Amino acid sequence: MAIIYIDGKPLETQDGQNLLEACIELGLNVPYFCWHPALGSVGACRQCAVKQYRDENDKQGRLVMSCMTLVTDGMRISVDESESKDFRANIIDWMMTNHPHDCPVCDEGGECHLQDMTLMTGHNYRTYRFKKKTYVNQNLGPFINHEMNRCIQCYRCVRYYKDYAGGHDLDAFASHNHVYFGRHEDGVLESEFSGNLVEVCPTGVFTDKTLKEHFTRRWDYTTAPSVCVHCALGCNITPGERYGKLRRIRNRYNRSVNGYFLCDRGRYGYEFVNSDKRPKAPLKRQMIDGKPVHVPMTRDEALSEIGKFFSNGSKAIGIGSPRASLEANFALRALVGAENFYLGLSKADGKLLSAVLEIVLSGPARQPSLGELKDHDAVLILGEDMTNVAPIAALNIRQSVNNQPRANAKAMGIPEWNDLPVRRAMDTDRGPLFIASVAPTRLDDVATQTFHATPDGIASLGFAIANFIDPQSPAANVSGEVRALAQQIATALQSAQKPLVVSGPSCRSEAVIQAAANIAWALCRKAKPAGIYFAAPESNSVGLGLFGGANIENAAEALRKGGADTLVVLENDLYRRVPAALVDELLSLAKHVLVVDHQYSATAQKAEYVLPGATFAEGDGTLVNNIGRAQRMMQVFNPEGEITESWRWLRRLRAASGKGREDEWISFDSFLHALVAEIPAFSHILDAAPTAAFRVGGLKIPRQSHRYSGRTAMKANVAVSETGVTADPDSPMSFSMEGFSMMTPAALMSSFWTPGWNSAQSITRFQEEVNGPLEGGDPGVRLIEPQPDSAVPYFDAVETNESHDAAWTALPLYHIYGSEELSASSPAVAELSPKPYAMLHSDDARARGLLDGDAVTVKIDGQEISTSLKTNDTMARGVVCLPAGLEDAPYIEFPAAAEILRSVTS
Amino acid sequence: MSERPLTEHIPTDGSALSLKDYERVGGYAAVRTALGGLQPADVTQCVKDAGLRGRGGAGFPTGVKWALVPMGPEAAKPKYLVVNADEMEPGTFKDRWLLEGNPHQLIEGIILASFAIQAEISYIFLRGEYTVAQERIEHALHEAYEAGYLGENILGSGFNLGTYLHMSIGRYICGEETALLNALEGKRATPRTKPPFPQISGLWGKPTIVNNVETLCNIPHIINKGADWYKSVSKTPNGGTKLYGVSGKVKKPGLWELPLGATVGELMDLAGGMRDGLALRGIIPGGASTDFLGPEHLELQMDFDTVPKAGSRMGTGTMIILDDKTCPVGMIRNLTQFFSQESCGWCTPCRDGLPWLEKTLAAIDEGSGVPDDINHLKRHVKLLGPGMTFCALAPGAMAPLGSALTRFAEDFERHIREKRCPWKN
């Protein structure tokens, strides 16, 4: 701790931080631009100048940049002194020489850091009387709008994009006051994290292009804290709604999860919520003109008609979903009975998920949180392309390679926040990162070594590494070359302070997952605090796994046995999970098929009844992320029609069937209590957010800002009287501007605003310390903790079968854009989805007379897939990679034996 | 005639001294002395004792700079010596003479400096337009490698040094030593955060010394003849001779090697005085980024300590003369335009302040100035002063402007009052 004197007042600050951070933590209004909590200080903008005095007798003082000044005990500064104030106002004056005064038509207006800082410095009148300069803007793709004229040259964009996110195609060009930030030519930004430019840019140079289609000012959104549903990481988000449409997604800071950043799938995948194809009322299939057509029915009709199928004595089969909330899955389980509840996973998916859960529930290795990935100093990735499967995890692992080289800077006495010297001291040094995968990954550029092999080859490498660390762990039969690599990796992991092993199900191999466990456990047994981190496929995969239950194939068997008339499919498109023939059979075996979903999926289209479920933005629920962190998402807005949470539909059905009482589980909280009573593994989810009864000063937490406009008029086309506020029985939040928005617990914070701080930069005002947790602690609870004294035995090594028989092994490649069901229907994401392809090693292709771009047919399980050939020089041999989960692509159960034929051109 | 160690052997026909000729006049003797028995610390001490101050403009004591480099087996490796040959200061052309006339003298200085700091690699960062120097340095480097003065195990001493020539693509900011290092690394030529200084974390994060061409050319003579001799050739406590230049409307603009501490008047005499019909109005003593002196300063000694007492700096020691038939506002406008264009664009005051000044000066010069412009200019002189900006470029630009606003106040006011430039029709 250091005591510093600011304008004569003694104040406590932390040792080692810079003066700007100290002032921010003390709640002082010191303006800044180039500093960003995740990017550190560079001293470029000169906006944070303050006066520093030698001692109490020094009346003159000198200007210093607070972001570049180390706090020292007894230091004396002034923020209010006139020369420094004048200088700060001048910085704005200079920036404004070329900044267009286009705030009224700028998307950033109202949440613009430049506006805030302009007001803060008191620069009111423009004194520059000459012509402004203009730039040519670029088309940067479907996500980001570019308006260079607004640029104030703070350099944050390139520092974020290149230095932090590892991008290569955004740079600073030209010099003096012609500095230009953009690409070398128009084109889609390559980084999967480009959307963060929108929040990193302190003004309107980079803005959300999808928002432009339905623009809304910051103060006009209805928002609530929510959780991203587009992968399993559970990044915290703030969705914003107006006029019944979801307008955009912004980052919601959570140090333990996503910190300041989102991936582009998470930020831009939201438009499935606004899809016209969604069911908005209960639907019933009827034959009209000989064709099956879904026709809407009222809620009461639906409940009384469908409710009967669940009355006492009748049996229904329920299929849950890894993309539905815990509550929805539980409600289904309660409706059909635990013995008739099936996880909405294929047998193969279920097996991989169980393998992961078994490891993390019984083993000694701890799963770091997403945010903690940045802290590890040696990382091994076994079989995952993290950028495409768990994007923000990849972004954080990218940061981890800096941890060892940072020691160079520390040895030179350079403070951690002093970004440029730290980066120079690190130079091109990188900490250990080893990636074993089937094909190249987007983290390879920072990897110490990459290793491309079949899943068995990857697993064998893993077993060999574990065996090097602890000879008790089963050895694998590997070549000398692989053995040498295994030894190199084992040494790197063992000599690190905090090694981490990352794996997941993308290789479709239990052995890969088990090899990862052996390595982490071997390190633990050698007293290394090793972390283990598994990617998971979907937003609630782990939550579903914790329910336990059988798979879709088992559900089919149960139906085949007879006795069950009804099949309920919850938020699940079965055609994406098991072969179409099996789904067709399932649907035909049941007399009644009910789908509860927010998407009009292929499965829903074939159902007898469809009940319109709520998306994440329209309902409350709990999701459990890949490491078992339970997080609550709050309803953002009231959807149109009969759309409501699946759990609510299922509760209503339960009541209508006579199984449950009408007043049972009326509130979300009583429902949660029932869930926890039934499944103790979930007991901590009650702590994920305050109950609906929670109040601050007797008031609810408003979803709308105190500046929300137009509420007396926005529905005037329907009725001129102001509509009442819809009650929210499920959460302590109100659908209005009324309520208490200060001192809100972090789990209920969706909008970060304090007077004078309207932009994304306001987040520092809500952190306990710069880059620290939100005041009161980050929301979310961990459901899975390691068993440090666990004596769980090692897994046996696989027998590697490297013989190349005639057949190819088909394996999936996941794509951040296109492989995930919900985001794929958002137009901006769809635009970047890959075209179908089959990828082979160049030598494998050449050996069969095939070339890149050739039209080929891939035969798998009797299906013939016509596609175009891609070749790659480094991927595994004997393997054909196909993009996973693309829209309209047939389901393939990977790994599969495949044949590849040159397509016959007619 | 005083001693002229740096330039006495430079051929007068415009050619370069060959290796053979350089050796004939004692060339590489200092390298033989140093590598043949001196410790690196001895070389540094000798340079310290000689009182050599950096000739690039800032005048930092060279030996002191070298002594900041981490030495010993624990020191980071490799270490670098970088020659700042990016001579782009307006009115400055002194290094060019040394580069074109006697490249081996520089190479010998490089070897000695590298030996002193135990650098394994050195770079000559040369101004892009200096193509004659480029050719001659390339040739000299080739000769030096062939003769065993560069490369592995130099003269059997066990000391290795690789020296490479790197051509700048031509930005004034590359003369700022840390921007130079960024440029050399292939990055944007923006200055770096200091501390840490290059001595600790320089090129590619490794200990690095950046020295000016003229500075390094002094080293062989210091080693050969000793610190006492070096001090004896100077008129000041700081040793050595200095290349002084005069440009502007004088009779014989030129460049001379004189004892450090020659007076402004001596230089004017060598330049033959003002052209007929012109009177001396102002002097920018050391490149564009120094404050104006005036006719009253003819007795002033041009050295690092005396010029500041008159409110300016010696800088590079190459004076630009303003006469009474040239518009001072036009001259300042021209200089400010240069600095504005050469701003790297990193920090706000320099990037956006200088173009504003440039436009304001243009307005005054073209007759559309307003009375408040003078206050505007004066405010900027303060706001772009030392400590306010990331590097010294903008404060350097403010030196001629600030002093002109005082010295030529009436000229500025007259432009605004008469809404025209009185020097133009």
Side-chain angles (χ1 to χ4, degrees):
Chain A
M1 197 189 67
I3 304 284
I4 65 170
Y5 296 84
I6 301 182
D7 291 308
K9 266 189 288 183
L11 293 159
E12 281 180 17
T13 61
Q14 296 184 57
D15 283 322
Q17 64 183 176
N18 63 59
L19 197 48
L20 178 60
E21 291 172 336
C23 289
I24 285 169
E25 284 177 18
L26 291 164
L28 297 170
N29 280 336
V30 177
Y32 61 84
F33 287 103
C34 62
W35 180 84
H36 182 283
L39 305 176
S41 305
V42 293
C45 73
R46 319 305 276 179
Q47 182 63 74
C48 66
V50 297
K51 250 305 164 58
Q52 185 181 0
Y53 301 93
R54 269 196 317 280
D55 50 41
E56 60 267 47
N57 300 320
D58 179 8
K59 303 291 176 222
Q60 194 72 34
R62 65 187 182 101
L63 279 190
V64 295
M65 300 309 131
S66 58
C67 74
M68 300 299 282
T69 307
L70 183 69
V71 161
T72 52
D73 199 37
M75 115 191 287
R76 287 172 184 274
I77 66 151
S78 172
V79 177
D80 284 342
E81 182 275 338
S82 66
E83 192 196 359
S84 65
K85 274 171 93 165
D86 184 49
F87 184 76
R88 295 196 298 261
N90 256 286
I91 294 286
I92 299 286
D93 211 358
W94 284 319
M95 287 175 170
M96 288 295 162
T97 55
N98 289 302
H99 186 82
H101 287 189
D102 67 342
C103 301
V105 296
C106 173
D107 286 5
E108 193 80 357
E111 56 184 335
C112 175
H113 189 60
L114 179 59
Q115 284 181 330
D116 285 350
M117 298 300 102
T118 302
L119 286 171
M120 191 178 287
T121 58
H123 164 77
N124 293 328
Y125 294 99
R126 177 179 165 78
T127 52
Y128 183 72
R129 69 173 197 272
F130 304 103
K131 274 190 184 162
K132 293 185 186 197
K133 129 186 95 43
T134 53
Y135 295 94
V136 174
N137 300 315
Q138 293 181 323
N139 182 353
L140 300 177
F143 297 150
I144 305 279
N145 191 73
H146 190 224
E147 177 48 73
M148 247 316 283
N149 291 319
R150 299 183 184 130
C151 183
I152 53 154
Q153 281 87 10
C154 72
Y155 289 82
R156 268 191 192 185
C157 55
V158 287
R159 292 177 56 224
Y160 161 74
Y161 194 90
K162 292 175 70 187
D163 298 349
Y164 193 93
H168 299 288
D169 63 328
L170 182 81
D171 222 321
F173 297 94
S175 68
H176 53 103
N177 68 343
H178 292 171
V179 178
Y180 187 90
F181 298 92
R183 294 185 82 253
H184 62 291
E185 61 183 17
D186 285 35
V188 180
L189 284 170
E190 287 166 6
S191 172
E192 292 81 358
F193 309 99
S194 68
N196 295 309
L197 290 171
V198 170
E199 295 185 48
V200 166
C201 175
T203 180
V205 178
F206 300 102
T207 52
D208 184 334
K209 204 182 246 182
T210 68
L211 172 62
K212 276 207 162 342
E213 299 299 316
H214 36 234
F215 182 68
T216 300
R217 287 274 172 224
R218 184 213 211 267
W219 54 78
D220 281 339
Y221 291 106
T222 300
T223 65
S226 191
V227 176
C228 181
V229 295
H230 299 297
C231 85
L233 297 177
C235 293
N236 290 196
I237 54 169
T238 294
E241 173 270 355
R242 189 164 171 90
Y243 286 115
K245 286 268 181 286
L246 187 59
R247 306 272 158 164
R248 71 164 179 191
I249 302 293
R250 292 281 274 198
N251 183 68
R252 180 164 64 98
Y253 178 83
N254 183 329
R255 183 185 66 156
S256 303
V257 188
N258 46 306
Y260 302 95
F261 304 123
L262 295 176
C263 74
D264 289 355
R265 176 157 96 195
R267 189 181 294 270
Y268 298 109
Y270 67 93
E271 289 191 88
F272 74 94
V273 173
N274 299 330
S275 166
D276 290 338
K277 294 178 198 145
R278 284 182 57 189
K280 288 176 183 141
L283 302 176
K284 183 182 181 178
R285 193 171 56 193
Q286 288 178 356
M287 297 303 280
I288 296 179
D289 298 334
K291 282 187 199 146
V293 178
H294 272 134
V295 292
M297 59 203 295
T298 67
R299 186 199 304 184
D300 289 343
E301 283 166 6
L303 289 176
S304 68
E305 207 171 312
I306 307 168
K308 281 189 224 124
F309 308 147
F310 303 97
S311 59
N312 281 331
S314 57
K315 184 178 161 186
I317 298 289
I319 295 182
S321 171
R323 67 163 164 85
S325 66
L326 286 184
E327 291 80 359
N329 280 295
F330 176 69
L332 175 62
R333 191 173 176 268
L335 178 68
V336 299
E339 68 284 1
N340 297 320
F341 174 72
Y342 295 85
L343 305 183
L345 302 174
S346 69
K347 191 173 156 192
D349 285 337
K351 207 169 145 194
L352 293 168
L353 181 59
S354 303
V356 166
L357 285 175
E358 184 194 334
I359 289 162
V360 297
L361 288 167
S362 65
R366 181 176 179 273
Q367 301 180 91
S369 72
L370 179 57
E372 286 167 335
L373 293 180
K374 292 198 284 279
D375 306 334
H376 288 270
D377 59 348
V379 180
L380 165 66
I381 300 175
L382 222 47
E384 283 293 334
D385 177 358
M386 294 302 277
T387 311
N388 280 303
V389 173
I392 292 293
L395 184 65
N396 288 357
I397 290 168
R398 184 176 284 281
Q399 311 314 310
S400 78
V401 302
N402 291 333
N403 288 330
Q404 288 199 18
R406 247 190 258 276
N408 304 350
K410 212 171 173 192
M412 291 178 195
I414 305 166
E416 213 171 308
W417 44 260
N418 200 352
D419 190 52
L420 299 180
V422 167
R423 290 195 182 271
R424 192 180 328 131
M426 297 194 301
D427 193 32
T428 51
D429 290 0
R430 291 204 177 96
L433 167 63
F434 297 92
I435 304 175
S437 55
V438 174
T441 77
R442 293 276 284 154
L443 273 176
D444 291 358
D445 61 319
V446 286
T448 317
Q449 283 281 355
T450 57
F451 174 73
H452 298 148
T454 60
D456 278 356
I458 293 168
S460 297
L461 170 73
F463 286 114
I465 295 166
N467 180 252
F468 267 115
I469 296 166
D470 180 2
Q472 304 279 305
S473 148
N477 184 20
V478 292
S479 70
E481 203 180 324
V482 175
R483 176 168 301 276
L485 177 62
Q487 185 165 18
Q488 184 194 354
I489 297 172
T491 308
L493 294 174
Q494 279 178 293
S495 37
Q497 306 286 319
K498 274 184 93 176
L500 175 70
V501 185
V502 178
S503 190
S506 299
C507 275
R508 315 298 301 161
S509 159
E510 232 177 322
V512 168
I513 291 168
Q514 292 172 345
N518 275 13
I519 300 168
W521 292 349
L523 287 163
C524 288
R525 280 173 204 174
K526 296 289 172 187
K528 276 282 165 201
I532 187 137
Y533 195 82
F534 289 108
E538 283 164 88
S539 59
N540 201 21
S541 290
V542 168
L544 185 71
L546 290 173
F547 272 100
N551 50 54
I552 298 172
E553 287 87 334
N554 298 130
E557 254 163 62
L559 278 169
R560 281 184 209 118
K561 267 188 212 151
D565 287 340
T566 308
L567 172 67
V568 189
V569 180
L570 169 68
E571 301 188 25
N572 205 334
D573 183 2
L574 301 179
Y575 286 102
R576 293 178 64 87
R577 306 209 182 264
V578 289
L582 180 59
V583 184
D584 291 342
E585 188 196 351
L586 262 170
L587 300 179
S588 64
L589 282 169
K591 209 159 131 195
H592 305 293
V593 175
L594 165 65
V595 168
V596 189
D597 201 350
H598 46 76
Q599 297 301 295
Y600 195 51
S601 68
T603 308
Q605 286 166 34
K606 294 202 173 171
E608 183 183 6
Y609 296 97
V610 178
L611 293 176
T615 63
F616 69 97
E618 300 147 338
D620 296 80
T622 307
L623 297 176
V624 179
N625 82 352
N626 62 319
I627 64 137
R629 184 186 189 90
Q631 302 189 103
R632 185 74 50 78
M633 35 184 194
M634 303 280 173
Q635 183 176 355
V636 178
F637 67 104
N638 280 304
E640 57 181 309
E642 285 292 347
I643 291 172
T644 191
E645 292 104 327
S646 300
W647 57 262
R648 202 182 297 275
W649 276 119
L650 295 165
R651 175 181 64 71
R652 287 173 183 163
L653 281 177
R654 193 160 178 268
S657 72
K659 272 187 184 164
R661 294 195 321 274
E662 189 65 41
D663 59 350
E664 199 177 37
W665 303 347
I666 283 293
S667 80
F668 184 74
D669 290 311
S670 62
F671 181 52
L672 273 188
H673 279 281
L675 193 168
V676 166
E678 180 96 8
I679 309 169
F682 294 125
S683 58
H684 291 299
I685 66 169
L686 296 175
D687 304 327
T691 66
F694 177 85
R695 296 289 182 275
V696 178
L699 296 170
K700 284 198 149 202
I701 315 298
R703 283 181 170 88
Q704 295 164 354
S705 80
H706 58 294
R707 290 171 178 158
Y708 192 84
S709 72
R711 79 167 184 188
T712 56
M714 59 195 298
K715 287 183 184 162
N717 58 333
V718 180
V720 287
S721 61
E722 187 184 340
T723 51
V725 173
T726 317
D728 181 1
D730 301 327
S731 85
M733 302 190 77
S734 69
F735 288 106
S736 76
M737 353 173 7
E738 282 88 5
F740 203 83
S741 59
M742 300 291 164
M743 295 157 57
T744 312
L748 300 178
M749 292 282 288
S750 59
S751 184
F752 297 88
W753 179 89
T754 57
W757 294 81
N758 297 283
S759 79
Q761 319 305 318
S762 62
I763 190 63
T764 54
R765 308 265 132 183
F766 297 86
Q767 295 169 332
E768 284 180 1
E769 56 182 53
V770 170
N771 291 326
L774 289 169
E775 279 162 17
D778 290 322
V781 284
R782 289 173 67 103
L783 302 182
I784 302 173
E785 291 297 349
Q787 311 294 321
D789 305 319
S790 162
V792 59
Y794 286 114
F795 293 103
D796 289 332
V798 277
E799 289 297 315
T800 321
N801 178 14
E802 289 288 343
S803 74
H804 288 191
D805 50 22
W808 299 84
T809 306
L811 287 169
L813 279 191
Y814 294 86
H815 289 271
I816 182 168
Y817 314 122
S819 292
E820 191 268 331
E821 180 187 359
L822 301 178
S823 59
S825 62
S826 295
V829 170
E831 193 178 325
L832 299 185
S833 299
K835 298 263 174 299
Y837 63 84
M839 190 166 89
L840 295 183
H841 192 285
S842 318
D843 293 344
D844 284 350
R846 211 170 300 130
R848 280 149 188 84
L850 295 169
L851 291 171
D852 194 280
D854 280 357
V856 292
T857 301
V858 183
K859 273 189 173 173
I860 297 174
D861 284 342
Q863 294 189 89
E864 292 199 354
I865 305 160
S866 296
T867 186
S868 151
L869 186 74
K870 264 175 48 169
T871 60
N872 181 278
D873 293 339
T874 62
M875 67 175 280
R877 303 293 300 268
V879 167
V880 54
C881 288
L882 300 168
L886 296 191
E887 227 176 357
D888 302 328
Y891 172 83
I892 298 165
E893 191 173 314
F894 296 108
E899 270 183 84
I900 300 166
L901 307 166
R902 185 191 294 278
S903 293
V904 183
T905 46
S906 50
Chain B
M1 190 77 179
S2 58
E3 289 194 61
R4 298 193 295 117
L6 302 185
T7 56
E8 64 181 326
H9 301 299
I10 294 180
T12 49
D13 62 0
S15 68
L17 205 60
S18 67
L19 174 62
K20 217 181 263 170
D21 291 340
Y22 183 61
E23 284 176 326
R24 195 174 304 135
V25 297
Y28 289 108
V31 165
R32 290 178 192 282
T33 310
L35 269 55
L38 295 183
Q39 292 300 309
D42 298 338
V43 177
T44 303
Q45 190 58 44
C46 188
V47 172
K48 257 192 202 173
D49 292 345
L52 170 62
R53 290 177 64 169
R55 302 295 198 239
F60 192 81
T62 305
V64 174
K65 197 177 196 179
W66 292 1
L68 294 170
V69 174
M71 297 297 285
E74 297 296 300
K77 275 183 182 172
K79 290 187 267 190
Y80 297 96
L81 179 91
V82 176
V83 184
N84 187 345
D86 193 46
E87 188 172 52
M88 281 193 72
E89 186 69 28
T92 303
F93 42 90
K94 64 181 183 69
D95 293 339
R96 180 177 170 186
W97 191 15
L98 299 169
L99 291 163
E100 291 181 0
N102 195 354
H104 280 291
Q105 179 174 251
L106 172 65
I107 293 169
E108 187 172 13
I110 291 170
I111 299 166
L112 293 165
S114 300
F115 176 71
I117 62 164
Q118 291 290 294
E120 294 167 48
I121 301 168
S122 60
Y123 290 98
I124 301 168
F125 189 91
L126 183 64
R127 177 175 174 180
E129 292 87 347
Y130 279 9
T131 50
V132 174
Q134 176 187 10
E135 224 170 82
R136 293 180 182 182
I137 292 167
E138 273 169 4
H139 181 70
L141 282 174
H142 184 73
E143 284 181 322
Y145 271 106
E146 288 287 299
Y149 293 120
L150 289 174
E152 304 274 299
N153 191 19
I154 297 169
L155 304 178
S157 64
F159 177 65
N160 307 324
L161 178 67
T163 299
Y164 307 92
L165 176 66
H166 179 97
M167 296 305 290
S168 171
I169 48 90
R171 300 291 312 185
Y172 175 67
I173 195 63
C174 294
E176 200 281 344
E177 65 174 10
T178 59
L180 185 157
L181 295 177
N182 274 342
L184 202 48
E185 289 183 17
K187 302 189 173 118
R188 282 178 68 78
T190 53
R192 294 174 167 185
T193 307
K194 287 169 282 189
F197 290 93
Q199 293 92 306
I200 307 298
S201 177
L203 196 59
W204 289 295
K206 298 294 189 289
T208 303
I209 285 289
V210 184
N211 279 148
N212 167 261
V213 170
E214 185 184 349
T215 310
L216 288 168
C217 287
N218 277 280
I219 311 294
H221 307 290
I222 292 171
I223 299 302
N224 282 334
K225 300 181 186 164
D228 290 339
W229 164 83
Y230 191 72
K231 284 188 166 164
S232 76
V233 299
S234 166
K235 290 183 179 174
T236 76
N238 306 129
T241 57
K242 176 79 191 79
L243 299 197
Y244 290 109
V246 178
S247 59
K249 290 179 182 167
V250 291
K251 286 199 177 107
K252 288 194 300 177
L255 196 59
W256 305 274
E257 182 181 1
L258 297 170
L260 185 62
T263 65
V264 173
E266 284 173 60
L267 295 173
M268 284 302 288
D269 289 346
L270 285 167
M274 298 303 291
R275 286 190 207 164
D276 293 336
L278 299 178
L280 174 65
R281 248 199 120 193
I283 303 160
I284 299 183
S289 46
T290 51
D291 291 78
F292 271 101
L293 299 172
E296 71 277 23
H297 290 118
L298 290 175
E299 297 305 311
L300 188 71
Q301 277 198 343
M302 286 280 281
D303 66 63
F304 295 109
D305 298 322
T306 313
V307 184
K309 289 178 190 153
S312 187
R313 293 185 307 116
M314 180 172 74
T316 57
T318 45
M319 311 192 307
I320 305 171
I321 305 297
L322 172 67
D323 59 270
D324 62 345
K325 297 278 162 54
T326 299
C327 173
V329 174
M331 179 181 184
I332 288 299
R333 175 188 173 185
N334 180 295
L335 287 175
T336 306
Q337 189 210 336
F338 171 81
F339 286 116
S340 167
Q341 173 187 297
E342 294 300 331
S343 166
C344 74
W346 177 249
C347 79
T348 311
C350 178
R351 179 188 62 241
D352 291 327
L354 289 175
W356 196 347
L357 291 176
E358 181 197 338
K359 289 196 165 103
T360 308
L361 287 163
I364 296 172
D365 192 31
E366 287 162 15
S368 57
V370 296
D372 197 45
D373 283 348
I374 303 290
N375 288 329
H376 180 74
L377 295 175
K378 282 184 177 160
R379 263 171 60 76
H380 268 72
V381 169
K382 252 183 95 186
L383 289 165
L384 268 59
M388 312 294 210
T389 53
F390 195 85
C391 80
L393 187 142
M398 291 307 98
L401 174 61
S403 52
L405 284 170
T406 316
R407 192 169 279 277
F408 311 117
E410 169 52 24
D411 296 282
F412 282 89
E413 276 157 25
R414 205 174 143 202
H415 276 78
I416 293 168
R417 208 168 46 234
E418 297 180 11
K419 296 193 186 304
R420 68 183 189 97
C421 172
W423 277 268
K424 294 173 195 150
N425 295 325

